[in-house]
Amino acid sequence: MDVLSFRTPGLGDQTYLLIHDGRGVLVDPQRDIGRFLDAAERDVELRFVLETHLHNDYVSGAGQAAERTGAELVLPAAAAPAYPHTPAFHLEDLDGGGGLTVRPVHTPGHTPEHTSYLVLIDGAPVALFSGGSLLVASAGRPDLLGPERARSLARLQHLSLRRLAALPPGTALYPTHGQGSFCTATGAGRLTSTIGTELTDNPLLAIDDPEEFADALLSDPMPVPAFYRHMGPANTLGVPPMPPTGVPELSEPAGRVVDLRPRHVQAEGMLPGSYGIEMDDDFGSWTGWLLPRGEPITLVAEPGQEIAEAVTQLARIGVDTVQGVVRDLGENATQTYRLVDLDAFVRLLRRPDAQFLDVRMPSEWEQARLPGAVERFLPDLFTRGVPAALDQERPVLVACASGRRAAIAAAYLAGEGYRPVALTGAGVADALEKIK
């Protein structure tokens, strides 16, 4: 038996392809299914495409993968999606042939219908695909369906984790959500594990009381990306095929403009009012979080800069509205901001007229705070606007943990008429160390 892992770093997720004796099982595929099917073409008969739950963080490619390969599409029975599928009922085995058996295990908590899949070879359990239930050193968060249901789902997650922990210790653990995912409750660590390792190392499995367990999961809630609310409905009703990743070259932008050039290039000149979101693994997530849903998008890129990955990342979260790309801004690039390194930033902080905006998450503020900081989480800056405490007539120093979010915020502030100075290559914790 082999298990191939396909990591999507910007979303903190993994898709898996299990191969045994020429038979394949694909688990929680994202919408860009080509990378999975290319791997399965190596003399593999894809028998099942499994979904552990109706995903909250991306649109699924499971239906398209099953249609293209003839594999059996399997979803939790309680998911009841609006398209043909095989419902997975608790402990009702699915026979893959050749000694391969898939056993659904109902594990509600991350979502009510959530189902994990235990794989048996010749009757012996060998691998568990746990989706958003038992994670490495963590568990799937139970609050994505709203705070009203969060505690009930947290109690269910407590029972589900114990159900999985009772499996043989040598069973390999393959969760979908991992490090970097907003679907994890406490910040998952490594990507894969075993049941035995989790019994020793997962702190949540040491909590016997369900109410104490719920407290642990809900005590420090993480933000929920704005695009998440569109994922569940899309996965319930069905998702169209992946759009083409090639888009036309435009001379004029249409709709919302997203500048994905390197931040140092953006700082020298952007289109007024455009979004500055430098291309990286999380480009799609930040774009989907910060832009209004459903509006046309024009990308701004450097000459020769590849944009297929940007279109792919957006398509993974159901954003199919990219109209094209502009590569020459000409004399229209009049919006600017400053980027500075740590030493220059600290010198500016020490000036008596300094004003500082911290755009990290609230949980990060609790870990390290700069005195006198104005705090507004980056997405809230776009929805609630610039804090009234900031003066347009003076430079606004902006920082986060690394410079990524600070640069996005600086582009927004510049568009609002402020004079932003973003710390790049370092963060608040680094500035605190310098100031001490």
Side-chain angles (χ1 to χ4, degrees), residues 299-315:
L299 303 176
V300 173
E302 291 191 290
Q305 185 177 6
E306 179 58 59
I307 62 165
E309 174 63 17
V311 177
T312 297
Q313 288 190 26
L314 292 172

Side-chain angles (χ1 to χ4, degrees), residues 268-432:
E268 294 173 356
M270 301 171 61
L271 287 176
S274 56
Y275 295 73
I277 307 175
E278 180 182 11
M279 185 62 206
D280 209 334
D281 288 338
D282 57 358
F283 167 82
S285 295
W286 281 120
T287 303
W289 197 336
L290 301 178
L291 268 67
R293 189 82 176 180
E295 296 193 13
I297 295 172
T298 295
L299 303 176
V300 173
E302 291 191 290
Q305 185 177 6
E306 179 58 59
I307 62 165
E309 174 63 17
V311 177
T312 297
Q313 288 190 26
L314 292 172
R316 285 176 185 149
I317 59 172
V319 176
D320 296 347
T321 56
V322 178
Q323 307 297 298
V325 57
V326 172
R327 297 188 184 273
D328 182 7
L329 299 181
E331 297 179 354
N332 298 317
T334 57
Q335 178 178 302
T336 63
Y337 64 89
R338 286 179 62 194
L339 286 172
V340 296
D341 62 16
L342 181 59
D343 288 336
F345 189 82
V346 170
R347 285 196 298 271
L348 291 170
L349 269 179
R350 287 178 170 144
R351 291 176 51 169
D353 63 342
Q355 53 180 353
F356 167 57
L357 175 65
D358 185 342
V359 295
R360 297 175 302 155
M361 289 191 297
S363 60
E364 294 174 284
W365 299 336
E366 297 301 323
Q367 296 170 8
R369 268 190 163 103
L370 275 171
V374 176
E375 297 169 336
R376 181 149 295 178
F377 182 39
L378 176 61
D380 295 337
L381 186 66
F382 284 76
T383 57
R384 296 170 53 194
V386 182
L390 296 178
D391 180 3
Q392 279 188 312
E393 301 304 316
R394 292 183 285 143
V396 179
L397 308 180
V398 192
C400 57
S402 67
R404 170 67 161 159
R405 289 169 289 179
I408 297 172
Y412 174 80
L413 289 167
E416 295 295 309
Y418 289 80
R419 298 160 54 197
V421 181
L423 172 60
T424 188
V428 172
D430 304 297
L432 275 171

